[in-house]
Amino acid sequence: MPKKKNSPTQPPRPSSLTSNTEGLTLLGAGSLPNVDKPSTSLLETFPNPAPERSLEICFSTDEFTSMCPITAQPDFAAISIRYIAKERCVESKSLKLYLRSFRNQGVFAEGIIGRMLDDLVEVLTPHSLTVIGEFAPRGGISLRVEASYVEKENKKQKDSTLKK
């Protein structure tokens, strides 16, 4: 049977599926470190296996917990993280550990979502990234906070396309 040729618009397919795990320390390490403060050092990344493609990567959890800075009562939220990878991808177990590190932080929801956006942009330098926090109702009012980043050169291209 003759081999199929790749079309000129598609990148060549790799002959085997492999993942570059160099530098990852949390995955398969057994017990997790005890963390009590969010830090970019908790976020491990690996090379994007397909940087020539526009990979949109989405993470979500409905088990996020932090504390109200005034009452120290727990705040519960569903967190969604969506990004278009450039050179790096975040490893999911390290992201879980990072999210868990907010548990005992007395911070308003707006500060949490802004911090997550800043930290993830710092370690990933993605094409774009959005973090959404949907915080459970307190006193009958729910709160949704969304923060986004768009790469400057990417944003200029989008802006010029919109003006046409």
Side-chain angles (χ1 to χ4, degrees):
M1 192 170 187
K3 267 189 159 180
K4 248 183 156 179
K5 289 186 179 180
N6 288 326
S7 74
T9 58
Q10 291 183 339
R13 287 189 178 173
S15 57
S16 65
L17 289 174
T18 60
S19 295
N20 184 342
T21 60
E22 187 177 322
L24 298 180
T25 62
L26 295 172
L27 194 58
S31 64
L32 293 174
N34 188 12
V35 294
D36 61 352
K37 291 184 182 168
S39 169
T40 56
S41 66
L42 298 170
L43 293 165
E44 293 187 335
T45 65
F46 58 91
N48 180 354
E52 71 283 355
R53 290 203 168 114
S54 191
L55 288 180
E56 183 176 43
I57 300 166
C58 305
F59 291 100
S60 63
T61 181
D62 58 359
E63 298 178 356
F64 180 82
T65 315
S66 61
M67 286 188 339
C68 172
I70 306 299
T71 66
Q73 293 294 311
D75 283 327
F76 302 97
I79 302 290
S80 298
I81 298 166
R82 185 177 69 244
Y83 68 99
I84 300 204
K86 197 171 182 180
E87 297 298 320
R88 309 291 299 171
C89 298
V90 70
E91 193 278 318
S92 61
K93 188 171 185 179
S94 75
L95 181 62
K96 290 175 198 174
L97 183 63
Y98 171 79
L99 292 174
R100 188 176 81 180
S101 71
F102 284 88
R103 182 165 289 168
N104 294 319
Q105 301 301 304
V107 182
F108 288 122
E110 297 84 350
I112 289 169
I113 300 305
R115 170 71 184 266
M116 286 181 187
L117 179 76
D118 292 344
D119 287 352
L120 288 163
V121 166
E122 181 181 328
V123 300
L124 295 172
T125 59
H127 290 293
S128 65
L129 192 142
T130 299
V131 180
I132 300 169
E134 296 189 40
F135 288 79
R138 294 186 119 228
I141 297 176
S142 58
L143 174 65
R144 183 179 191 276
V145 180
E146 181 174 334
S148 295
Y149 162 85
V150 176
E151 183 180 42
K152 286 181 182 157
E153 60 193 46
N154 203 7
K155 186 177 181 337
K156 286 179 188 173
Q157 289 173 345
K158 285 182 183 177
D159 288 347
S160 67
T161 304
L162 290 174
K163 290 178 184 176
K164 289 181 181 179

